Amino acid sequence: MADILRALISRNTRNLLPSVAKVLESIVGQWLLPILEPAFDPNQFGCRQQRSTTHALVDMTHAWQSALDRGGAARSVFVDFKKAFDSVNHNLLLRKLYSRNVPHCLIRWFVSYFENRIQHVRVGTNHSSWRQLNGAMPQGSWLGP
């Protein structure tokens, strides 16, 4: 598979492959989201449709002001997971998809999606060597988050 991808990229189809991949990811995501959406925490605002950081800030401000109006206290903990996309355990993710009754054909598709992923970095006209990704989520993809 890696050889096929290298051949496609070397034929100046760099823009075609990512576009096709994004369309496929969108189709899979639209199939998957209704299955997983009921399990999401209602206070999760990141990477969700019709929710944004603005919504999170409004919700948080409302909770603080309500607590203070009742004579309570307002406390918060903010966590930023460093290298979150690079530390996803694929086996754990696949088990969670299975436990949420995601169709087996989608789980098999995800196994294929995670296997043998390669990338290289281009800065100007300089290219790094190709590297295989292990335990990482594709960044910039619709399904990554």
Side-chain angles (χ1 to χ4, degrees):
M1 181 66 148
D3 293 334
I4 293 169
L5 289 174
R6 284 188 193 107
L8 285 172
I9 290 170
S10 68
R11 290 187 193 140
N12 293 324
T13 58
R14 285 181 285 225
N15 295 330
L16 179 61
L17 188 61
S19 298
V20 171
K22 288 180 182 183
V23 169
L24 180 59
E25 288 177 0
S26 175
I27 292 168
V28 170
Q30 289 174 11
W31 185 7
L32 188 63
L33 197 57
I35 299 167
L36 299 178
E37 185 80 31
F40 291 165
D41 186 309
N43 294 316
Q44 178 183 334
F45 293 91
C47 304
R48 304 240 344 244
Q49 290 181 350
Q50 300 177 345
R51 293 176 180 231
S52 67
T53 52
T54 302
H55 291 107
L57 290 170
V58 168
D59 185 67
M60 183 175 56
T61 304
H62 176 71
W64 288 345
Q65 289 175 341
S66 296
L68 294 173
D69 288 345
R70 291 188 309 270
R75 296 183 181 107
S76 293
V77 175
F78 297 93
V79 179
D80 182 16
F81 294 100
K82 183 178 180 183
K83 300 271 188 185
F85 278 93
D86 296 337
S87 59
V88 173
N89 182 322
H90 293 165
N91 291 324
L92 179 62
L93 177 60
L94 293 169
R95 279 195 299 264
K96 287 186 176 197
L97 291 173
Y98 181 79
S99 73
R100 300 275 187 233
N101 296 318
V102 170
H104 290 190
C105 60
L106 277 182
I107 293 173
R108 286 192 308 270
W109 183 84
F110 271 104
V111 169
S112 174
Y113 183 74
F114 293 142
E115 284 183 335
N116 300 319
R117 295 194 69 87
I118 59 171
Q119 76 173 23
H120 78 241
V121 177
R122 178 176 59 112
V123 178
T125 59
N126 298 317
H127 296 264
S128 69
S129 60
W130 286 94
R131 303 271 172 135
Q132 185 158 349
L133 302 176
N134 296 315
M137 293 296 291
Q139 295 184 36
S141 74
W142 197 81
L143 293 174

